[in-house]
């Protein structure tokens, strides 16, 4: 049986160069389908990775009750103090809570190489902010000083926006701010932000309300105690979320959209590719009608014919899938993309063509190949031998 | 005819459905073919020669009637069983050779052996032997496109022979060849019949070709006509 299938298959495969046009239709159709799908999914994976690496389980973020995101939230100075003093918050060596009351402002900056402006988050952070977020490292320049208009910029923000090199001055509202440092932050979404001292930011923008309080918990299990302490306090009306959950919920919407887009567009293209493959395989089988009939006359089983046509379709599909996936990987893996994140500001992330995605793409290719090959294969096997010999 | 009967056809009819109409292509046909005979089947176009040959070779089922080859009733075999039966018992030679264009001569000849349990070394030996019988040992590596019509038909005959079938079934094997080449091929078939004892059923339009056979049968409108009389003549 294997000898039969092997012989018929190797014959079919050797014939591919002669039917190059039809074979290329299959390969290219599937390559494009898989390439597009993998690329869009790579966006979803990259976005997910960026968002998921933002946030830690042993931190909590506090927003005004009912707020969906930091921007829609306000917390008064008194309330920030109450929150930082609550049970479950870790205290540093100096006895102060490891927590940061933060203010968020949206500022417009020109994108590199474009005229248009895009929104960037300027985050005012408290003095304990860097004890709270040890993942933030200054990679260039120095830390900002409080009370003067200095800020540091995330690595991704610097890559995407013009005029953020060290020493540059940027005009925000009616004051001028100097970029004094660049930081990275384990690739999380803070790398898309600008950071400055919160009190300086508030006074420069003439505000007195904060947007959020981020606290370091004594340990991840202390979350419930902390949450209970705040929600049972009648002077507070706040939502408390573990930081990881908060960023996840922020990303959910966009992630769903990207996944939907990938599978929706992918499915439409896949249907097109299936028809392309069907058409090409039908003509491949028709062109070989006499060969197939002769083999069957000699005694080859119809199963070996079905199987070899399927293998041929699968081989072409596999080639297409691999080409599409490799192209997506070559051209898009690590590509930087920015999009509106949870706070209506730009989140910069990298397209990630993960091994799982490559496999997903190739599995789709195989499905397309099997469906596109099956019906022509069955037709080939069902043709009565005598009639097919006559027709040849 | 004292040789034991190899093929026995009893009351066989074959009808084709053409649209709503049913056409009877073979009508209540009876025929016995002895072991070691070389039959030439003649008759006008459309008389049913190919249809009869296909029934003898197990490529098709009769509408009614019995076909026995050796000890086997092949009219009642399923398609799958019939394919296996063909692989063991029948070698086919076609007018247009029907070689696989992608495969070299020796690979073409090897095809029927892929359905046997022979090892690759044994297959090679048998292929070489079959190509030697047809006088083409030196063309083993050639593709069909690199062979003349006569050479291609020799390769096809080698392919039909290689698995040592009981019966060779040839549909106008010289229909596409010039006189000289046709005579060579017919001489080869005759040698296979006389020296190797192959039973051959050959359809032909060519009376000269028919003279190579040991018995001539004539068909008209789906029936055999006085075969005995012609044989005696
Ligand atoms: N699959 C089919 N469906 C319908 N009619 C068929 C089919 N196969 C053969 N026929 C008809 O059966 C009749 C006999 O055909 P067959 O091929 O056996 O003739 P033949 O004697 O071999 O003719 P030729 O010398 O031209 O090859 C013809 O009229 C042909 O049209
Ligand atoms: Mg015919």
């Amino acid at each position: 049986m294997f000898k039969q299938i092997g012989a018929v298959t190797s014959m079919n495969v050797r014939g591919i160069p002669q039917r190059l046009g039809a074979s290329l239709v299959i390969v290219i159709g599937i390559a494009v389908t898989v390439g597009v799908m993998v690329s869009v999914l790579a966006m979803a994976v990259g976005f997910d990775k960026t968002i998921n690496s933002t946030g830690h389980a042993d931190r909590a973020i506090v927003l005004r009750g009912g707020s969906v995101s930091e921007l829609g939230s306000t917390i008064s100075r008194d309330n920030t103090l109450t929150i930082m003093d609550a049970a479950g918050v870790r205290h540093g060596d100096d006895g102060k809570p490891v927590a940061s009351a933060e203010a968020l402002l949206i500022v417009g900056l020109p994108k590199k190489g474009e005229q248009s402006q895009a929104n960037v988050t300027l985050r005012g952070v408290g003095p304990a902010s860097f004890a709270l977020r040890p993942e933030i490292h200054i990679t260039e320049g120095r830390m900002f000083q409080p009370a003067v208009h200095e800020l540091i910029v995330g690595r991704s923000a610097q890559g995407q926006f013009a005029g953020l090199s060290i020493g540059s001055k940027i005009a925000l509202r009616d004051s001028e701010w100097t970029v004094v440092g660049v930081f990275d932050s384990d690739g999380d979404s803070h790398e898309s932000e600008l950071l400055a001292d919160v009190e300086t930011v508030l006074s420069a923008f003439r505000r007195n309300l904060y947007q959020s309080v981020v606290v370091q918990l004594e340990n991840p299990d202390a979350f419930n105690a902390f949450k209970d302490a705040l929600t049972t306090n009648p002077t507070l009306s706040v939502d408390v979320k573990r930081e990881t959950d908060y960023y996840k919920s922020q990303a959910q919407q966009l992630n769903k959209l990207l996944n939907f887009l990938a599978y929706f567009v992918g499915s439409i293209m896949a249907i097109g590719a299936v028809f392309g493959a069907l058409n090409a395989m039908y003509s491949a089988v028709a062109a070989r009608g006499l060969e197939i009939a002769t083999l069957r006359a000699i005694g080859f089983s119809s199963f070996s014919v079905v199987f070899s046509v399927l293998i041929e379709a699968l081989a072409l599909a596999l080639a297409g899938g691999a080409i599409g996936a490799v192209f997506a990987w070559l051209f898009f893996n690590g590509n930087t993309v920015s999009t509106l994140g949870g706070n209506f500001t730009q989140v910069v992330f990298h397209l990630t063509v993960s091994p799982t995605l490559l496999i997903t793409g190739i599995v789709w290719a195989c499905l397309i190949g099997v469906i596109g090959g099956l019906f022509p294969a069955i037709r080939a096997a069902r043709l009565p031998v005598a009639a097919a010999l006559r027709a040849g | 005819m004292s040789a034991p009967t190899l093929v026995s056809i009893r009351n066989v009819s074959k009808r084709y459905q053409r649209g709503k109409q049913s056409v009877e292509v073979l009508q209540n046909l009876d025929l016995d073919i002895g072991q070691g005979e070389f039959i030439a089947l003649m008759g006008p176009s459309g008389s049913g020669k190919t249809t009869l040959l296909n029934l003898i070779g197990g490529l098709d089922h009769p509408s009614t009637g019995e076909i026995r080859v050796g000890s086997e009733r092949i009219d009642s075999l399923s398609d799958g069983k019939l394919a296996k039966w063909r692989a063991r018992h029948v070698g086919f030679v076609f007018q247009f050779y029907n070689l696989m264009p992608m495969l070299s001569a020796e690979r073409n000849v090897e095809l029927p052996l892929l359905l046997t349990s022979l090892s690759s070394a044994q297959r090679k030996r048998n292929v070489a032997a079959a190509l030697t019988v047809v006088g083409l040992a030196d063309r083993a590596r050639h593709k069909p496109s690199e062979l003349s019509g006569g050479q291609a038909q020799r390769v096809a005959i080698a392919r039909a022979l290689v698995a040592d079938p009981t019966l060779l079934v040839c549909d106008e094997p010289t229909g596409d060849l010039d006189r000289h080449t046709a005579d060579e091929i017919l001489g080869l078939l005759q040698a296979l019949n006389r020296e190797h004892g192959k039973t051959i059923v050959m359809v032909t339009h060519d009376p000269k070709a028919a003279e190579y056979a040991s018995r001539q049968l004539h068909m008209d409108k789906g029936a055999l006509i006085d075969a005995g009389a012609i044989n005696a003549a």
Side-chain angles (χ1 to χ4, degrees):
Chain A
M1 192 44 110
F2 287 120
K3 273 184 290 182
Q4 275 190 57
I5 294 171
V8 184
T9 307
S10 84
M11 222 161 62
N12 292 353
V13 171
R14 271 185 245 195
I16 288 178
Q18 296 215 323
R19 302 183 306 277
L20 204 59
S23 306
L24 277 182
V25 166
I26 300 183
V27 173
I28 292 174
I30 291 177
V32 171
T33 305
V34 168
V36 168
M37 203 167 66
V38 168
S39 307
V40 183
L41 283 175
M43 253 187 248
V45 170
F47 185 69
D48 206 41
K49 208 165 106 180
T50 301
I51 294 300
N52 275 333
S53 66
T54 310
H56 292 249
D58 61 353
R59 288 183 210 156
I61 180 166
V62 183
L63 306 178
R64 188 185 64 190
S67 304
V68 179
S69 70
E70 284 182 279
L71 267 191
S73 159
T74 49
I75 299 176
S76 72
R77 184 175 299 267
D78 287 350
N79 284 349
T80 63
L81 299 176
T82 315
I83 291 164
M84 292 198 226
D85 276 340
V89 177
R90 182 188 293 174
H91 289 253
D93 296 337
D94 56 0
K96 290 182 183 162
V98 181
S100 169
E102 313 205 325
L104 257 74
L105 287 148
I106 292 184
V107 298
L109 286 180
K111 287 192 117 180
K112 268 188 182 164
E114 291 174 33
Q115 293 299 321
S116 63
Q117 292 219 330
N119 290 336
V120 186
T121 300
L122 170 60
R123 181 183 292 272
V125 296
S129 167
F130 297 97
L132 178 67
R133 297 191 181 98
E135 67 272 17
I136 294 184
H137 302 285
I138 300 285
T139 57
E140 220 186 303
R142 59 170 173 83
M143 181 54 71
F144 56 78
Q145 301 281 324
V148 289
H149 290 172
E150 290 181 350
L151 51 77
I152 59 176
V153 302
R155 191 175 51 172
S156 301
Q158 194 188 37
Q160 291 275 301
F161 296 98
L164 292 186
S165 51
I166 292 185
S168 307
K169 303 209 184 300
I170 44 181
L172 302 177
R173 201 71 179 266
D174 39 11
S175 54
E176 202 169 59
W177 293 69
T178 309
V179 178
V180 297
V182 180
F183 68 92
D184 66 19
S185 181
D186 273 357
D188 69 16
S189 66
H190 293 307
E191 286 188 9
S192 307
E193 298 178 341
L194 316 181
L195 301 185
D197 174 61
V198 67
E199 298 306 331
T200 317
V201 167
L202 285 176
S203 72
F205 286 77
R206 291 185 207 93
R207 296 203 179 177
N208 50 22
L209 291 175
Y210 298 82
Q211 266 67 54
S212 63
V213 178
V214 180
V215 307
Q216 172 75 57
L217 299 168
E218 281 165 352
N219 55 60
D221 298 333
F223 176 76
N224 286 337
F226 175 66
K227 183 175 179 175
D228 289 346
L230 298 193
T231 48
T232 54
N233 185 333
T235 67
L236 290 175
S237 161
V238 293
D239 283 344
V240 184
K241 284 194 175 123
R242 218 184 265 281
E243 209 183 40
T244 41
D245 294 338
Y246 170 73
Y247 283 105
K248 238 178 234 151
S249 70
Q250 293 290 297
Q252 227 167 35
Q253 213 66 359
L254 185 63
N255 236 333
K256 269 189 195 153
L257 183 73
L258 287 174
N259 273 309
F260 170 77
L261 211 67
Y263 284 110
F264 181 72
V265 173
S267 300
I268 289 177
M269 296 184 68
I271 290 171
V274 163
F275 278 102
L278 273 174
N279 195 27
M281 289 312 294
Y282 269 127
S283 53
V285 162
R288 281 203 302 271
L290 185 62
E291 286 173 42
I292 291 172
T294 305
L295 287 174
R296 303 261 275 110
I298 289 173
F300 281 70
S301 68
S302 46
F303 179 76
S304 67
V305 171
V306 171
F307 209 78
S308 64
V309 172
L310 266 187
I311 288 180
E312 178 181 345
L314 208 59
L316 292 173
L318 215 57
I323 290 172
V326 166
F327 262 71
W329 184 73
L330 278 182
F331 288 107
F332 296 120
N333 193 33
N335 258 26
T336 304
V337 170
S338 63
T339 182
L340 287 183
N343 280 325
F344 299 103
T345 53
Q346 299 276 320
V347 173
V348 178
F349 60 94
H350 304 286
L351 286 184
T352 308
V353 180
S354 61
T356 322
L357 264 192
L358 290 178
I359 291 169
T360 307
I362 287 174
V363 167
W364 271 71
C366 291
L367 277 178
I368 295 170
V370 167
I371 298 171
L374 189 62
F375 297 97
I378 289 174
R379 175 191 279 187
R382 276 210 169 155
L383 217 59
V385 184
L389 282 171
R390 217 178 268 276
Chain B
M1 198 52 55
S2 56
T5 305
L6 179 64
V7 181
S8 137
I9 293 175
R10 287 291 169 271
N11 206 20
V12 159
S13 297
K14 178 70 183 174
R15 276 182 294 276
Y16 286 115
Q17 207 66 35
R18 242 184 251 155
K20 288 212 168 87
Q21 226 176 334
S22 165
V23 186
E24 186 143 87
V25 175
L26 296 181
Q27 290 156 6
N28 305 83
L29 209 122
D30 291 305
L31 174 64
D32 283 322
I33 297 172
Q35 186 100 49
E37 277 200 282
F38 181 176
I39 303 277
L41 189 55
M42 313 222 359
S45 198
S47 55
K49 305 183 295 295
T50 297
T51 305
L52 177 58
L53 200 68
N54 286 346
L55 291 180
I56 294 172
L59 289 176
D60 210 348
H61 294 276
S63 303
T64 56
E66 255 185 63
I67 302 176
R68 206 179 282 278
V69 178
S71 52
E72 198 122 26
R73 271 285 296 274
I74 63 166
D75 55 276
S76 50
L77 289 180
S78 68
D79 283 345
K81 287 223 171 86
L82 208 50
K84 287 205 177 98
W85 177 82
R86 288 196 299 270
R88 265 183 292 126
H89 295 289
V90 191
F92 291 93
V93 179
F94 305 95
Q95 180 175 358
F96 299 106
Y97 333 125
N98 292 19
L99 297 175
M100 303 297 139
M102 292 303 138
L103 303 183
S104 65
E106 59 184 357
R107 290 280 174 205
N108 265 289
V109 174
E110 190 190 16
L111 285 171
L113 298 181
L114 298 174
L115 306 173
T116 66
S117 55
L118 294 183
S119 72
S120 141
Q122 287 170 309
R123 293 202 300 270
K124 248 200 176 81
R125 265 201 302 279
N126 292 10
V127 167
L131 281 172
T132 305
V133 168
V134 300
L136 271 187
D138 56 335
R139 294 283 190 279
R141 297 279 156 86
H142 289 233
K143 290 272 174 67
S145 57
E146 300 158 358
L147 298 172
S148 70
Q151 289 171 334
Q153 196 60 299
R154 285 168 188 270
V155 172
I157 291 171
R159 180 179 68 187
L161 282 178
V162 72
D164 194 24
T166 335
L167 191 60
L168 278 188
V169 155
C170 316
D171 199 345
E172 303 186 37
T174 58
D176 202 43
L177 301 175
D178 61 51
R179 181 77 260 152
H180 175 72
T181 316
D183 282 331
E184 283 178 5
I185 294 294
L186 290 159
L188 174 60
L189 288 177
Q190 196 172 50
L192 289 173
N193 171 249
R194 291 189 179 161
E195 288 153 33
H196 298 261
K198 292 287 162 211
T199 307
I200 301 178
V201 184
M202 171 179 79
V203 166
T204 182
H205 279 288
D206 175 8
K208 283 229 175 71
E211 283 169 14
Y212 286 83
S214 60
R215 176 154 69 118
Q216 300 185 7
L217 296 173
H218 291 261
M219 281 191 81
D220 195 20
K221 300 194 179 92
L224 287 166
I225 48 175
D226 47 49
I230 289 169
N231 193 36

